[in-house]
Structure formats: C-alpha cells, structure tokens
Amino acid sequence: CSLQAGLAVLLKAERLFHSSYHSQAVHIRPVCRVSAGLSCLHEHPKRKSKADASCLAVSWELRQTLTVVFDFFSSGQGKKDWSLFKMFSRTLTDTCPLASQSKVYVDISPKNKEKELLEVSPPPTSVHEAIVQGDKKTYAVYDLLSPSLFNTSRSLNVQLKWKRPQDSSEMPIPILHAQRYVGGYGLQTGEICTLIYNTHPYRAFPVILLETVPWYLRLYVHTLTIITKGKENKPS
C-alpha cells in the first residue's frame, strides 16, 4: 500500500524528521517453520534456529519498526493534549487491504488511580490490559479492520485530552530510563557517557544498549569502561 493507505499514511517525512527523536530499525531472524516430529509450531522467541538439526524448514522473519518522540509540552504552550493530526499533519482514512492486522494502541493508564484525568476520543473499539515491567497498563485499541470504525467518519483522528491542567513535574519516572552527555573536548579528553537507571525496588532487567555515534567522532573500543554501583565491570 506504500503511503496510500494504512498506518503508513501518517509517515510524513517533514513531521518525523523535525521531531525530538526518531529511530528506524529492521530486524531479520530465522524462524523454524517445521520441526522433526511436528507438523507446525507456534511462534515463540526460543524457536529452533536454522542450525538446529531437528528443524526441517526455515522461514525468515522481517520486522520493521519506527519510533518517534514528539514534545508538545514545550512547543504547545504547556499543554499535553495531542492528536494524530497534531503530530503527523494527517489522519487515518482507510486500512491497507493487504494487512491481516492493523491497530493503534493508546496508553490510557490512570496515574494514582485517577481515571477521570484522561479523555480519549473517539471511543476505542476495545480496551486491552497488560503487565509491563511489573506495572498494570491500560490501552485503548483502535482496530482499523473493524467495520464500525470508519462508519461514522471517513477519517480517524485519535485525540487525547487532559481534563484538568497537569504540572510537568508530576510526570512519573520510568522504571528504566537513560541519559547521555558529552564531556571533555578533542580526541584526547573527549568522552561520551551514558547513564542507565533502574528505579525498580528489587528487580533487575536485561538491557541492550545501542549507541548511535556521529560520523565525525572516532571511538576507541579499548577505552570502554562499565561501572555499576561504583565498581567497574570488565566488558567481554
């Protein structure tokens, strides 16, 4: 469908590249389709790879992701309200006929159990609950394949409004978050420091760190140091 229908309609380059952050990724991995003694397998992260002798047929899974962060609080006179049109200058008008699934998820999890703060429109087709890093999350789900979604209007513009003003300092701190800064100057004393925080009271999480380095910086891998709780961990 390219940019003619479906979620990709929202991918307007001048809006994406002027956001606070954007990241594109392509993930490719072998997936065992048929294993010895089984006619089929359910999708699971621990599936046997092509190198496994019991795997009789292998397929390749391609997953493309686009992550974009918009900061409307600083550019919208201190308002946290947002909509698809405000972010992308476009709305959803139709689903891609080739898609077997096409959904929009909006995090409407109540803060401090105050459900009256958030107002999302139009009403979602369903509500989904999940446990994310030990916290219960509630999502409003808009199913583009649902016949009733485009019945009332030929355009879907999901909007989220706060019923009363919220102080920016009240935003909850994520369990996992990171900061990065540049110190020193030049090739001799210049350095890039990345701080990763885990605010969970007792649980540890596996973390994959992907650093995007500008082309004009030359990094020396032998200078890499990893410090946890004041003690240095030697990288493998």
Side-chain angles (χ1 to χ4, degrees), residues 2-35:
S2 187
L3 300 178
Q4 307 304 317
L7 297 177
V9 171
L10 301 177
L11 305 184
K12 193 175 181 180
E14 54 265 34
R15 297 294 293 176
L16 298 180
F17 297 147
H18 283 83
S19 60
S20 298
Y21 172 85
H22 69 275
S23 173
Q24 303 175 62
V26 177
H27 305 267
I28 303 175
R29 66 165 184 159
V31 175
C32 183
R33 190 173 70 251
V34 179
S35 181

Side-chain angles (χ1 to χ4, degrees), residues 166-209:
Q166 291 289 295
D167 187 7
S168 60
S169 62
E170 295 180 359
M171 293 297 290
I173 298 177
I175 294 179
L176 291 176
H177 62 281
Q179 298 176 355
R180 184 171 72 166
Y181 62 88
V182 177
Y185 59 90
L187 291 178
Q188 185 174 358
T189 61
E191 62 182 14
I192 297 179
C193 296
T194 302
L195 305 179
I196 304 177
Y197 297 92
N198 176 16
T199 60
H200 199 279
Y202 58 86
R203 184 178 175 184
F205 299 94
V207 174
I208 297 178
L209 176 64

Side-chain angles (χ1 to χ4, degrees), residues 58-142:
V58 175
S59 295
W60 288 92
E61 178 189 88
L62 168 65
R63 184 164 57 93
Q64 297 172 278
T65 63
L66 172 64
T67 303
V68 186
V69 176
F70 294 94
D71 184 7
F72 288 121
F73 187 79
S74 60
S75 61
Q77 292 79 42
K79 296 181 180 179
K80 297 180 183 178
D81 301 343
W82 60 263
S83 67
L84 289 182
F85 184 79
K86 188 176 181 180
M87 286 189 288
F88 301 102
S89 296
R90 294 179 179 179
T91 58
L92 295 172
T93 56
D94 201 358
T95 183
C96 179
L98 298 177
S100 59
Q101 190 178 94
S102 186
K103 296 180 180 180
V104 176
Y105 290 83
V106 181
D107 188 351
I108 57 173
S109 304
K111 186 176 66 174
N112 299 328
K113 298 182 179 180
E114 297 179 357
K115 294 185 178 181
E116 73 279 0
L117 289 181
L118 294 176
E119 179 181 352
V120 61
S121 62
T125 55
S126 63
V127 176
H128 175 71
E129 293 186 348
I131 303 298
V132 180
Q133 295 180 351
D135 290 339
K136 185 178 181 180
K137 294 288 187 178
T138 304
Y139 299 94
V141 183
Y142 296 87

Side-chain angles (χ1 to χ4, degrees), residues 21 180 182 187 191-194 209-221 224:
Y21 172 85
R180 184 171 72 166
V182 177
L187 291 178
E191 62 182 14
I192 297 179
C193 296
T194 302
L209 176 64
L210 173 65
E211 289 277 8
T212 304
V213 181
W215 63 269
Y216 51 83
L217 290 182
R218 176 177 293 181
L219 299 186
Y220 298 94
V221 180
L224 173 65

